[in-house]
Amino acid sequence: MSSSSPAPASSVGTPPAYVERLRLPFWAWPVGIALAGLLAAELWMGAPGLRSWLPFAVLIPAAVAVLLWLGRVRVAVADGELWVDDAHLPVRYVADAVPLDAAGRREVLGVGSDPLAFVVQRPWIGGAVQVVLDDPADPTPFWVVSTRRPVELAAAILAARDATAARADT
């Protein structure tokens, strides 16, 4: 089901039913940049001359790049598919979508885990959605996707599935 295709291209006039970017919380930015600055200051003390500023010129932009990279994942329901970053799942294979709070996510990823499950989990996001699959050709039993709005994402997935099924019936 999942593939390395480009992000979903919505048809003109059909906006995505759900879109969310799994960004870092605001407090992670000053903490990440401060840690990079502290490490650069430690290295600065050991090098004389022009080389002393090299750690600042390298580590702080690298920290910004890492923070941007950590918040790059996009979750969307559009054009009859669930998109999570580059992976996509046609909603016709969805049996159920269950919104999970932090405790439910912990149980699904802990005791109730399956090594074949597709998981996109961000520890700074409490909620998630478990998407149970109904595809005999796919060994993946379910997807677990972090989201700040699990009820809305689950509803969008199920609505897209029902709309796809209604179009297939007509």
Side-chain angles (χ1 to χ4, degrees):
M1 290 297 113
S2 62
S3 70
S4 296
S5 306
S10 297
S11 13
V12 178
T14 308
Y18 182 90
V19 177
E20 177 182 13
R21 180 136 342 243
L22 303 182
R23 291 190 167 94
L24 288 170
F26 73 92
W27 56 264
W29 284 89
V31 169
I33 293 171
L35 287 175
L38 181 63
L39 180 59
E42 287 290 327
L43 295 172
W44 169 74
M45 287 190 249
L50 186 60
R51 290 181 302 160
S52 64
W53 295 102
L54 187 60
F56 291 100
V58 172
L59 292 176
I60 292 179
V64 170
V66 167
L67 292 169
L68 285 171
W69 181 79
L70 286 172
R72 80 190 185 293
V73 175
R74 181 175 178 256
V75 177
V77 178
D79 299 329
E81 292 186 333
L82 168 63
W83 288 85
V84 181
D85 202 17
D86 290 337
H88 62 98
L89 171 71
V91 292
R92 68 179 175 268
Y93 297 117
V94 173
D96 197 10
V98 182
L100 304 170
D101 59 0
R105 183 189 64 166
R106 201 170 23 255
E107 183 176 334
V108 167
L109 296 177
V111 176
S113 68
D114 188 317
L116 297 176
F118 177 80
V119 178
V120 175
Q121 185 253 349
R122 297 294 180 253
W124 56 87
I125 298 176
V129 170
Q130 180 183 22
V131 181
V132 182
L133 303 183
D134 183 23
D135 183 7
D138 189 358
T140 306
F142 57 86
W143 284 26
V144 177
V145 180
S146 287
T147 178
R148 288 184 174 88
R149 302 184 319 258
V151 174
E152 291 176 35
L153 177 57
I157 292 168
L158 294 175
R161 179 199 63 186
D162 295 344
T164 302
R167 271 185 297 216
D169 289 343
T170 58

